[in-house]
Amino acid sequence: MNRHGVGVQLTVTDAPVVVDASSDAPEARVARRLSLCLAYGMIAALSVVSNAKAQEAEPRSYSNTPIGLNFLLAGYAYSQGKLAFDPNTAIADTTFRSDTGVVAYVRSFELAGQSAKLDVIVPTSSFAAHGLVNGEPREREMLGLGDPRFRFSVNLFGAPALSAKEFASYRQDLIVGVSMQVSAPVGQYDNTKLLNLGGNRWSFRPEFGISKAWGPWTVELAPSVTFFSNNTDFFGGNTFSQAPIYAVQGHVIYTFQSGVWMALDGLYFAGGRTALNGVKSDNEQAITRAGLTVALPINRQNSLKLSASTGITTRTGSELTAVAIAWQYRWGDGY
């Protein structure tokens, strides 16, 4: 989901609250102020959920991989939580549930003598939110395509481009890499609705990664920043903008001789203050999350990955817990 709130309408499934923005009557001005207040409250809460999903921790992003391999991934993630609003708004007791399926393709290749990867990720989600508006129950349910993501990563040091045969004798020490992830605005979007699965805007996330191994243990650290373009059709022509989100993720990984590995994951991100038609809201974020990831090789071509994460601290008070499972199939000669 993305952070799509209200302009002058609080949309519910069949019972929208509409305000005539062209009227100068006192009642209309009060209604517009209330709608703007609700918009900020909704944007603040939904930013927490959407950004937490977008910024999920990813262990082993900068590990070395034999070049010339292809990976097909299919995954499912379930998340649920509560959306916290300013007590001065008319929205209360809001909860959400999200079921997301993901299909991804990854290709490893050589760049300047080091290993590199290209990822293409396409999500499809079912999302439902329920809450009270002025004491009346409201809900929104969605099913559709989310914004696809494209990620290019290259290791700059410590991960030489190797064939599968050469990789058998490789032992990691220190790896340094960089990546760029781009999210394209092609997901489900309806500018008459309160919530959408697509963002109707671009995002760009450059990241720097360090991975250091000591025997079976590996420690990783990856700071990043996400930039957003403006959504100029936010609820019927309003302009929604968001400041950059600064994040850092860390992992402590243990790899067993069988090839099974486990990771303790940590993620902190801050920033992301939003504005509606140039008017800034007081919803800057500061969120800490923790999680666990387990990878289980099945055979040479197939593996499973299980993960779970939850919020530890948050400036806004919104809560998010998620669990996921992913299957990976590998093919290619590895040259």
Side-chain angles (χ1 to χ4, degrees):
M1 65 171 288
N2 278 302
R3 65 295 279 153
H4 302 303
V6 290
V8 290
Q9 176 181 21
L10 179 61
T11 302
V12 294
T13 304
D14 296 308
V17 176
V18 182
V19 176
D20 182 2
S22 64
S23 173
D24 290 326
E27 294 82 359
R29 291 196 296 270
V30 171
R32 287 199 299 272
R33 286 196 295 269
L34 175 59
S35 296
L36 189 61
C37 183
L38 293 176
Y40 288 158
M42 179 60 76
I43 292 169
L46 298 187
S47 293
V48 173
V49 178
S50 57
N51 292 330
K53 291 174 65 178
Q55 302 279 347
E56 281 295 339
E58 300 175 88
R60 293 173 63 97
S61 291
Y62 297 94
S63 61
N64 199 3
T65 303
I67 62 173
L69 293 180
N70 304 278
F71 301 87
L72 178 65
L73 297 92
Y76 164 77
Y78 173 81
S79 59
Q80 66 176 18
K82 299 179 180 180
L83 302 180
F85 293 87
D86 189 313
N88 294 322
T89 68
I91 306 177
D93 297 333
T94 304
T95 61
F96 76 92
R97 183 192 72 254
S98 176
D99 298 274
T100 301
V102 175
V103 176
Y105 170 75
V106 181
R107 170 73 178 181
S108 63
F109 57 96
E110 177 184 356
L111 183 64
Q114 299 288 312
S115 64
K117 291 185 294 184
L118 177 65
D119 306 8
V120 180
I121 306 165
V122 180
T124 301
S125 295
S126 170
F127 176 86
H130 305 268
L132 299 177
V133 180
N134 289 320
E136 296 294 328
R138 296 289 186 267
E139 66 180 15
R140 169 81 162 113
E141 296 184 356
M142 298 174 288
L143 174 63
L145 181 71
D147 290 335
R149 302 191 301 272
F150 306 88
R151 185 171 184 257
F152 168 73
S153 59
V154 58
N155 291 313
L156 305 176
F157 175 82
L162 303 171
S163 68
K165 182 177 180 180
E166 295 169 329
F167 193 80
S169 60
Y170 170 78
R171 297 294 181 270
Q172 179 185 331
D173 183 15
L174 175 67
I175 294 177
V176 177
V178 294
S179 69
M180 170 65 80
Q181 179 174 282
V182 178
S183 176
V186 298
Q188 176 268 331
Y189 184 79
D190 183 345
N191 69 355
T192 68
K193 299 296 184 181
L194 177 65
L195 305 177
N196 285 282
L197 297 173
N200 196 41
R201 61 178 184 171
W202 292 85
S203 72
F204 305 88
R205 189 183 78 178
E207 184 177 75
F208 177 77
I210 300 175
S211 178
K212 170 64 177 176
W214 290 274
W217 292 94
T218 304
V219 176
E220 299 178 339
L221 191 67
S224 65
V225 57
T226 304
F227 302 95
F228 305 94
S229 67
N230 292 345
N231 178 359
T232 56
D233 192 20
F234 178 73
F235 200 80
N238 292 286
T239 298
F240 172 79
S241 59
Q242 187 167 21
I245 294 177
Y246 302 91
V248 59
Q249 58 177 292
H251 312 277
V252 178
I253 305 166
Y254 185 85
T255 304
F256 298 88
Q257 291 185 351
S258 63
V260 174
W261 58 265
M262 300 178 62
L264 293 176
D265 310 314
L267 171 67
Y268 174 80
F269 61 91
R273 185 179 182 183
T274 64
L276 191 64
N277 295 326
V279 181
K280 295 182 178 180
S281 57
D282 184 18
N283 61 353
E284 186 170 347
Q285 303 171 47
I287 297 175
T288 305
R289 295 180 57 77
L292 175 68
T293 303
V294 179
L296 307 170
I298 299 174
N299 53 39
R300 186 176 178 84
Q301 282 77 37
N302 296 274
S303 64
L304 285 176
K305 186 167 70 172
L306 311 172
S307 62
S309 63
T310 188
I312 303 300
T313 63
T314 172
R315 180 178 182 269
T316 63
S318 295
E319 302 173 8
L320 169 67
T321 300
V323 294
I325 182 171
W327 162 78
Q328 175 183 285
Y329 176 73
R330 187 187 81 177
W331 77 96
D333 295 330
Y335 293 109

